Every structure is written in C-alpha cells, then in structure tokens.
C-alpha cells in the first residue's frame, strides 16, 4: 500500500488537463438533429446523439469547430474562452443536395446490401484463420459534478414572504462533493484475445477492482456489448438486438445516407439507421461508417434509448497488410432513461430512481439522475496468422491465478495513459471504505445465502435443513452444514441431522470430500445417510442445488421410503462443457406406506439395492469461465441436456434385484427482444428389469386429494402437473413435455406489475409388470395426460395466482375436479 501511495503521488505529476465542449444541434424549428458531425481543424471529430447533444473533448480549447449534417448548410463556430455550452441551429439547404448516387433506390439501402454481401470478406473472424491481440479495459461508475446543483452546503429551513416553510436538503451537495473527488466504482482489466478454429477466447492477465482484494468474477462474465460488430444479434447490456447489417436487417430497419467522412485516411459513407415503426422497441438506432471501397465497417455507433439510455461505440484501424478494418477501441455507456420504477443493475452498483413517486407525482432530480456507467477498451499488440496454440479452447474466458496480484509496473505498461487524480483517489478511498464497511465479507455472505448457506467461521450453515414440512414427517426440524475454505480448500466435511415431529424419527447424513483437481472442480466424496425420500421421484445427480426460502411441493407429499446406507462418488467438469458424477451406492430400502414388491412369488417389504450410476449434464452452446476457484458457466445458452444411467450390481453386497434405469432431460429457452420468453422441457425415463415402485416414476404430481377447489388451493411447483393428484399415476417408462410462454410484465398500478405465463403440459407412460406391485392403487398413462393453465406471477410482493385445467383421456367426470388453483411466489433478488 505504501508503494501504491508513492506511485499515486508520482502519477499526479503527469496529469494532462482535458477541455470539454458541450452543446446541442437543432434545425430551424428547434428539432434535434441526431448524428450530426462535429469536427475541428486537427481532425478531432465526434457526432451528436439521438437527442442532438454532443460532447467534444480536447487537450486544449480549439479555436473553432464545424457542424455538418446532410441536407443542411455547414456552420463554423468560434469558441470563447469561458464558454463551454454551444447551442447550434443549422439552416436547411435550398439547392439540390449532391449525394453519392449508387442506384435508383435509396442509396443508403443499396450500400447496406453491399455491406451484407461483403461481410465474410470484412469480418476478421471469417476472413482470417487466426489472430490475437491484447486489450486494456477501464470501467467506472461516476457522475459529472458540473451537472449537479451543489449550492447548498447544509440542511436548512427558511420562510418566504408568505410565511411558508421551505426545506432544503443537502444530499445533492454531498453527492457532488463525493463525485468531484472520486468515482463511485472502478475496475481495470488487461486481457489477451485469441481466435482460431472459429472460436474466440479471452484470457484475463490482470485485474483490479476498487474496494476488492479478491476479484468479483461475475463482472467479467457480464456482456456489456458484442465484441464483434458483425454478430447476427448485436448485444447491449445482456440484451440481444437485430444487427443493422444482419442478413434480414433491411426488413427491420430504415437507413439514411447522412454524409461522407474521412476515417484513417479512407473515405466512408455515414449511414443513419433506425428500426421500422413496428420494430422500434426491439431495434437499435445509430450510425455506421462504411468504407466506400470494400464496404467494411470503419466505425459504428449503436444505441438503445428506453428505461436506460445505452450506447456502444466501435472504432477500427485499417490494416493495410490484411486489407481489413480491425477493431481498435470500444466504448460502452449507460445513463438514466425514462423509467417510472426504480431500476437496479450490476447487483445494485447503480440504482436509477423512478421518475414518479408512489402518488404518481413527478419527483425532483436525485443523485441517480446524474450517475452513469462508462466502459472503454483499447486494443494493441495485434498479430495475424499466429502459430501460438490456444490452451483450453473450449473456455470462453480464463482468468489467470495471479491476475489480481499484478504490481503497479504491470498497469503502467498497459494503460493507454496514466490514471488521473480522480481515478487514483478512487482506489485509495474505496479500498479503505471497503475495509471499514466489510464490503467483501458482506458480498461473500450474500453469495452463500443465494445458494442456501450462511457462513459461520469455518462452517457454512445449510439453510435448507433448518425447517420444512411434509405430510409424513410433519415439521422437519434440523441442522446441517459444510466446511468452507477457512478450514481447508482441499478437504471438506458435511452433514446434517433432522427430526420429524409427526413420525418422531431422527434422520442424519455425514460425509467428506477431497479436492483432486481445482481447475476441473474434481472431488472425491463419500457419505453415509439414514433418511427418507419421496417415492417414484426423479433426481438427477448433476442438477444444481436450488435454494428456495419456501419450497411448496413437498408439503403435500405423504408417501416416502427410508434409505440407509453409503455412497461414494467422483464429481468433475474435466470434459469441456459438461459436469459429471460417477457414483456407487449400497442402501437398505424400506417403504413407509402400504406396499409389497412381488418377485416371482416372493414378497418384499424391504430390500437392498447396490447400484452404479453415471450422471452427465451437457451444455454444448454455453460459454464457460475458468477462474482461480474453478470452472463455471458464464453464459447459459440452450438447448442443454442431462443424461443419467443407473445399473444394479447383481450379487454385490447382498443386492436383491437386477434392473437398470435410463433418464433423460432436454431444456430450451428463447428470450425475445420484446422481453417475452419461451421455455421448453422434454423429460423421460425408462426402467427395465425388476424395479420396485419406490424407484419408478410418478411424473411429479402436485394436487391434493380434497373435495372442493378451494380445499385444493396450494402453492404451484416449477415443472409439476398441477391437476394430477398425488399417487394417482405410476409408470416404468414415461415421457413428458412442457411448454411455457411468458409475456412482458403488465403495468396495472405502480406497484402492481404482474407477468402473464401460459403453460401446457402433457405426459405418456406405461407400467411393465404391474403384478409386481402389491398394496398401492394407481392408474397408468398409456392414453396420455394433458393440462393447460395461466399463471399471473408477481402480482404483489412476489406472490401470484394461477389456474390449470385437466383435459383429454384422463379427464375426470366432475368439472371442478379438473380445475386447480395455485399460488405462486417468485423471489426477485435484484441480481
């Protein structure tokens, strides 16, 4: 820290002052002119935004600048020493406009069609076999202090001539004082990008996050903007939009030729694009600079203006040796747009307050109105046709173990320019504030809670084990946990104990694990347990742990079996884009309901099962990130697949039955640009051999056996059949399909904005050897089962309501018996 302080003082000697000119460009009717060109004699150029506003930065005040816009007379503006804001009004040209005529159709559209036709020649990821480069990125959350009214230095109360009290708040002043000295958040990153075999990989060489000794790896996986301007779907802030140069773009965009501009010594067309009327809410708006010779993109400005005002800028260098434009700089910015409700992004790092109060009255300006996020990257050390192999090419991002331990000399070498005084103070002040407020510790606790744990020293308390309820055990009260890194990073102990108030039996589990390989998250684990489980339920060993404050479905379950025994497994992510579990187990099984298994005339009321099981989750289209703590899925893409095979081991450790089970699950989600979402789930299972009912399939029912609709009202499950009664159907082989389509939230009142979801589920099944199952009455799904419903989620405080109807061959005689009303609850963590 002393060295850092010394370097901070040294850097202050090399700071260069920046001069900034602001203004707005309008026509004679005071209508803003978007994307007008602002230029100086030394080729320092910028353009206005969609509101006609511009910011021109320079090291010294230019003597003058010019403003040009197609169809208008160019205007030269002489700058004044103490003037920084310039409103400019342009006069429309009266003579014929001399445009570049490409054909008889809209010239801009003709140019865009040629851009689309030449994409593969100009896209580096299509034109080149391989390349690599480094990039320096700096991201800040800050505000411009000059835009904040900071005249008040203390809270006070005055009375005007009418004797009315006027309260004056000092919060604006305090906020201005803070942002005058430091940024609200700041991070730096140096990465190496390597492209080969049609894959792009980022390796993070160094990273610094103000206020954090350990990196927040989730930030690196957050997609602010597309790396390539040629992607069919252009991404801005985790939302994908139709690219204005995609193959189908002319159907969705209007184009206008604005000007002819010189960039890096080459002449470019300046083309304005905007979504057509019916596509405005799902389209981008901006400007493309197109090389007049090869129709490559020389510069691009992409923008979306709504509840947030988001923009992404791409700048390119022309590489003469490759005859291609290669990206040199990117800029991403978020400022407040028009939003009635409060918006939190980056886990609450930025909060944009709504424009209206709870009483629907417009509110006064607050600190969040001046806050913005700015991310800037510049590329360097570019090499083409390289021979360096890409290590672990299946990874999208890899973060080096020492990335957060780089000395200041590392950053000096890679920064484009030295940190200004404000940035230097940001590191010092936020580091000290983070220690004072224990920010990292609180963040760590928050991460654990999301996954259902609460850290207490070397142990993470398992919140799922504290209390639950079902119809067999009654209230299940327990305590459980797992050791964390404070005890050991290579070894863990875990366990739990629980007591059922209704069955009066104590259950428990103990286990331990040894880390075999950190990079692939490979663990060798062993457990011993004596507990109960729902009969005929399907559990995929590789399914991720899901923590719910309240898990409603188990409340209504009354049929369980007890299992007592051990299991050992290896869990790993060694195969790219997969997670696997190989497990061996031996359990004594005792059904806790009226049931006997008939095997060739011998009746079993309990039995021993020794099995081997392989479970595999495969996400072939997802992106994965390798961090010093392991490998994680950084961006989920669909479809995703899960396979599981279980085989009993005859004559091993007193195993009673010979059987096998194959289980499969495929998931698909599609997010639409209008904020709608479609989800598909296909799941099936096939059990062969001598399999007791406890280990067959119940297809996840979630309806109570009660007389009236109101008596059956309970909480909805996630993927369960809401109109199917518990223990109504059993199968030895089945397949189920579910489709959900969710619409954007509907605004009814300020605090009432429900989301509408349409749901349809169906299942088919068959029971082989039904004579083997004695004591339990049930039906089969040979003719199929169908239900559809409507969910109105998040009506108030996360609670919602849904209605479902059962139809088809298994429809019941009474109308009301086919109807289920369910309560839903969605916890929004704002992350």
């Amino acid at each position: 820290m002393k060295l850092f302080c010394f370097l901070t003082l040294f850097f202050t000697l090399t700071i260069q002052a920046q001069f900034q000119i602001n203004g707005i460009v309008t026509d004679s009717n005071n209508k803003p002119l978007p994307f007008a060109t602002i230029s100086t004699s030394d080729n320092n150029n910028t353009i206005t935004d969609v509101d006609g506003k511009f910011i021109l930065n320079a090291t010294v005040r230019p003597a003058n600048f010019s403003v040009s816009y197609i169809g208008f007379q160019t205007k030269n503006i002489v700058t004044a020493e103490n003037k920084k804001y310039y409103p400019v009004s342009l006069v429309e040209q009266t003579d014929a406009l001399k445009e570049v005529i490409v054909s008889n159709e809209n010239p801009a559209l003709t140019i865009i069609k040629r851009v689309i036709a030449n994409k593969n020649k100009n896209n580096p990821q299509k034109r080149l076999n391989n390349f690599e480069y480094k990039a320096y990125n700096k991201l800040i959350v800050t505000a411009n202090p000059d835009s904040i009214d900071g005249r008040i230095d203390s809270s006070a109360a005055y009375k005007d001539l009418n004797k009315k009290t006027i309260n004056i708040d000092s919060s604006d002043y305090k906020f201005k004082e803070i942002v005058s000295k430091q940024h609200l958040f700041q991070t730096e990153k140096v990465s190496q990008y390597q492209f080969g075999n049609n894959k792009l990989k980022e390796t993070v060489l160094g990273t610094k996050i103000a206020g954090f000794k350990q990196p927040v790896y989730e930030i690196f996986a957050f997609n602010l903007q597309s790396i390539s301007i040629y992607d069919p779907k252009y991404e801005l802030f985790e939302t994908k939009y139709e690219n204005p140069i995609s193959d189908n773009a002319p159907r969705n965009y209007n184009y206008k030729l604005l000007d002819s501009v010189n960039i890096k010594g080459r002449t470019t067309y300046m083309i304005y694009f905007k979504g057509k009327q019916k596509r405005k809410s799902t389209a981008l708006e901006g400007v493309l600079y197109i090389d007049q010779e090869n129709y490559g993109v020389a510069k691009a400005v992409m923008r979306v203006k709504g509840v947030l005002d988001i923009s992404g800028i791409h700048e390119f260098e022309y590489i003469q040796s490759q005859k291609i434009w290669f990206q040199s700089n990117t800029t991403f910015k978020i400022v407040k747009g028009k939003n009635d409700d409060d918006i939190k992004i980056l886990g609450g790092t930025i909060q944009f307050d709504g424009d209206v109060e709870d009483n629907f009255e417009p509110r006064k300006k607050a600190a969040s109105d001046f806050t913005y996020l700015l991310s800037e990257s510049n590329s360097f050390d570019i090499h083409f046709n390289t021979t360096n192999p890409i290590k672990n090419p299946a990874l999208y991002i890899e973060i080096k173990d020492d990335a957060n331990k780089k000395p200041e000399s590392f950053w000096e070498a890679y920064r484009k320019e030295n940190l200004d005084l404000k940035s230097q103070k940001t590191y010092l002040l936020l580091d000290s504030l983070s220690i004072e407020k224990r920010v990292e510790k609180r963040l760590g606790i928050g991460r654990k809670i999301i996954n259902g744990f609460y850290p207490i020293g070397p142990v993470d308390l398992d919140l799922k084990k504290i209390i639950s309820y079902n119809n067999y055990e009654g209230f299940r009260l327990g305590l459980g946990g797992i050791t964390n890194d404070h005890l050991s990073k290579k070894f863990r102990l875990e366990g739990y104990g629980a007591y059922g108030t209704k069955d009066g039996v104590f259950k428990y589990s103990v286990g331990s694990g040894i880390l075999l390989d950190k990079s692939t998250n490979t663990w060798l684990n062993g457990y011993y347990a004596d507990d109960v489980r729902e009969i005929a339920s399907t559990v995929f060993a590789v399914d991720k742990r899901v923590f719910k404050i309240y898990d409603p479905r188990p409340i209504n379950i009354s049929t369980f079996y007890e299992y007592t025994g051990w299991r050992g497994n290896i869990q790993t992510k060694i195969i790219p884009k997969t997670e696997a579990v190989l497990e061996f187990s031996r359990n004594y099984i005792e059904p806790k309901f009226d049931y006997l298994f008939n095997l060739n005339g011998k009746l079993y009321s309990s039995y021993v099962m020794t099995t081997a099981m392989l479970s595999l989750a495969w996400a072939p289209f997802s992106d994965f990130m390798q961090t010093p703590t392991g490998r994680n899925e950084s961006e989920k893409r669909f479809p995703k697949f899960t396979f599981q095979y279980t085989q009993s081991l005859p004559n091993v450790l007193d195993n009673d039955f010979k059987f096998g089970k194959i289980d499969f699950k495929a998931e698909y989600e599609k997010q639409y640009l209008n904020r709608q979402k479609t989800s598909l789930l296909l799941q099936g299972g096939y059990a062969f051999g001598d399999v007791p009912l406890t280990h067959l399939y119940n297809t996840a029912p979630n309806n109570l056996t009660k007389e009236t609709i109101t008596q059956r009202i309970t909480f909805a499950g996630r993927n369960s059949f809401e109109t199917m009664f518990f223990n109504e159907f059993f199968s030895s082989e089945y397949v189920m399909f579910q489709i959900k389509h969710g619409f954007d939230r509907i605004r009814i009142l300020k605090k009432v904005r429900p989301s509408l979801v349409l749901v349809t589920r169906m299942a088919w099944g068959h029971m082989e050897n039904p004579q083997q199952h004695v004591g339990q009455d049930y039906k089969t799904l040979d003719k199929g089962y169908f239900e559809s419903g409507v969910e109105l989620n998040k009506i108030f405080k996360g609670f919602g309501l849904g209605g479902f109807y059962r139809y088809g061959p298994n429809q019941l005689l009474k109308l009301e018996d086919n109807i289920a009303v369910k309560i839903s609850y969605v916890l929004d963590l704002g992350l």
Side-chain angles (χ1 to χ4, degrees), residues 491-510:
F491 178 80
R492 65 189 180 195
L493 298 171
E494 59 183 296
Y496 67 83
Y499 178 79
T501 59
K502 189 174 180 180
D503 68 340
V505 177
F506 180 76
K507 299 92 177 172
Y508 66 93
S509 173
V510 293

Side-chain angles (χ1 to χ4, degrees), residues 2 157 222 422 479 576:
K2 289 182 179 179
F222 206 88
K422 192 173 182 178
L479 191 66

Side-chain angles (χ1 to χ4, degrees), residues 126 130 159 207-208 245 251 286-287 291 297 342 364 366 393 429 493 557 598 606 629 644:
K126 297 292 185 180
N130 51 67
K159 291 186 178 180
T207 178
K208 288 181 72 173
I245 57 172
R251 300 178 187 173
V287 171
D291 190 305
V297 179
D342 298 345
K364 66 176 184 179
L429 295 173
L493 298 171
I557 302 173
N598 180 8
S606 60
T629 59
Q644 187 162 286

Side-chain angles (χ1 to χ4, degrees), residues 167-183:
N167 293 313
I168 301 176
D169 189 4
S170 63
S171 58
D172 283 352
Y173 174 78
K174 293 176 181 176
F175 183 69
K176 181 175 181 177
E177 285 289 289
I178 292 172
V179 298
S180 296
K181 299 176 182 177
Q182 66 175 85
H183 300 304

Side-chain angles (χ1 to χ4, degrees), residues 16-296:
Q16 290 184 333
Q18 289 281 322
F19 188 86
Q20 189 178 88
I21 293 175
N22 303 288
I24 185 170
V25 180
T26 60
D27 62 12
S28 56
N29 296 318
N30 206 34
K31 183 179 179 181
L33 295 177
F35 307 111
T37 301
I38 317 296
S39 57
T40 64
S41 57
D42 59 352
N43 291 323
N44 184 13
N45 302 328
T46 188
I47 59 174
T48 60
D49 62 20
V50 294
D51 299 316
K53 298 177 181 178
F54 69 90
I55 298 174
L56 182 66
N57 292 307
T59 54
V60 296
R61 178 176 63 85
N64 56 69
F65 64 91
S66 64
V67 182
S68 61
Y69 194 78
I70 193 166
F72 290 79
Q73 297 177 14
T74 299
K75 195 168 189 177
N76 290 310
I77 308 296
V78 177
T79 62
E81 185 173 351
N82 297 319
K83 186 176 180 180
K84 292 186 178 181
Y85 185 79
Y86 293 84
V88 181
S89 179
L90 297 185
V91 178
E92 202 165 355
Q93 287 180 339
T94 55
D95 56 339
L97 179 65
K98 295 181 180 179
E99 286 188 356
V100 179
I101 302 301
V102 184
S103 70
N104 292 328
E105 69 174 344
N106 174 6
L109 181 58
T110 302
I111 294 169
I112 289 298
K113 287 181 178 179
R114 294 187 180 181
V115 173
I116 295 172
N118 287 276
K119 276 193 302 184
N120 288 347
K121 296 179 181 178
N122 292 305
N123 181 358
Q125 294 187 25
K126 297 292 185 180
R127 170 82 175 272
L128 305 174
N129 291 326
N130 51 67
F131 58 82
E132 64 179 52
Y133 64 95
K134 292 185 176 70
Y136 166 80
N137 172 264
K138 181 181 178 183
L139 182 150
I140 60 172
V141 178
T142 190
N144 182 4
D146 294 335
S147 62
I148 304 169
D149 185 3
R151 293 172 296 174
I152 310 303
D153 60 0
S154 62
S155 294
Y158 301 96
K159 291 186 178 180
D160 61 16
L161 297 177
N162 296 322
K163 305 297 183 183
K164 294 180 180 178
T165 301
I166 303 173
N167 293 313
I168 301 176
D169 189 4
S170 63
S171 58
D172 283 352
Y173 174 78
K174 293 176 181 176
F175 183 69
K176 181 175 181 177
E177 285 289 289
I178 292 172
V179 298
S180 296
K181 299 176 182 177
Q182 66 175 85
H183 300 304
L184 304 176
F185 179 76
Q186 179 174 282
T187 179
E188 293 178 279
K189 180 180 68 169
V190 174
S191 297
Q192 180 186 39
Y193 289 87
Q194 293 175 288
F195 177 80
N197 297 320
N198 296 317
K199 292 181 180 179
L200 182 68
K201 180 191 174 185
E202 176 187 3
T203 302
V204 179
L205 305 176
T207 178
K208 288 181 72 173
I209 301 179
F212 293 90
K213 292 181 179 179
Q214 296 297 324
V216 183
Y217 297 118
E218 292 85 348
I219 292 178
F220 303 124
F222 206 88
N223 291 322
L224 296 178
Q225 66 187 122
S226 290
I227 294 177
S228 173
I229 194 65
Y230 292 98
D231 289 342
K233 298 292 183 182
Y234 183 84
E235 192 162 3
L236 272 181
F237 200 57
E238 295 280 295
T239 302
K240 293 183 178 180
Y241 301 88
E242 183 77 36
N243 194 318
I245 57 172
S246 69
D247 292 344
N248 297 321
R251 300 178 187 173
N252 303 318
Y253 285 95
N254 289 319
Y255 304 91
K256 181 180 179 181
L257 182 59
L258 296 182
D259 208 343
S260 217
V261 179
N262 185 284
I263 296 181
K264 310 295 182 183
R266 295 177 68 87
T267 306
T268 66
Y269 298 116
M270 183 179 178
I271 296 179
Y272 169 63
F273 63 88
K274 188 175 184 179
K276 293 182 178 180
Q277 192 65 33
K278 62 179 180 179
R279 297 279 186 175
K280 273 188 176 181
S281 62
T282 59
L284 297 161
E285 183 176 5
V287 171
L288 296 170
Y289 295 79
I290 306 301
D291 190 305
Q292 290 189 10
E293 183 179 331
N294 64 10
Y295 294 95

Side-chain angles (χ1 to χ4, degrees), residues 465 473 476-480 494-500 505-511 527-532 562-567 587:
K465 302 298 183 183
E473 296 178 279
R476 179 180 167 117
L477 308 175
L479 191 66
E494 59 183 296
Y496 67 83
Y499 178 79
V505 177
F506 180 76
K507 299 92 177 172
Y508 66 93
S509 173
V510 293
Y527 308 89
Y528 185 86
D530 184 353
D531 206 343
V532 294
E562 181 182 3
Y563 64 96
T564 306
W566 58 264
R567 61 188 173 96
N587 286 291

Side-chain angles (χ1 to χ4, degrees), residues 706-720:
K706 301 286 185 180
E707 289 294 326
T708 65
I709 295 176
T710 54
Q711 288 177 323
R712 294 196 300 270
I713 293 178
T714 184
F715 281 85
R718 184 183 179 189
N719 299 317
S720 54

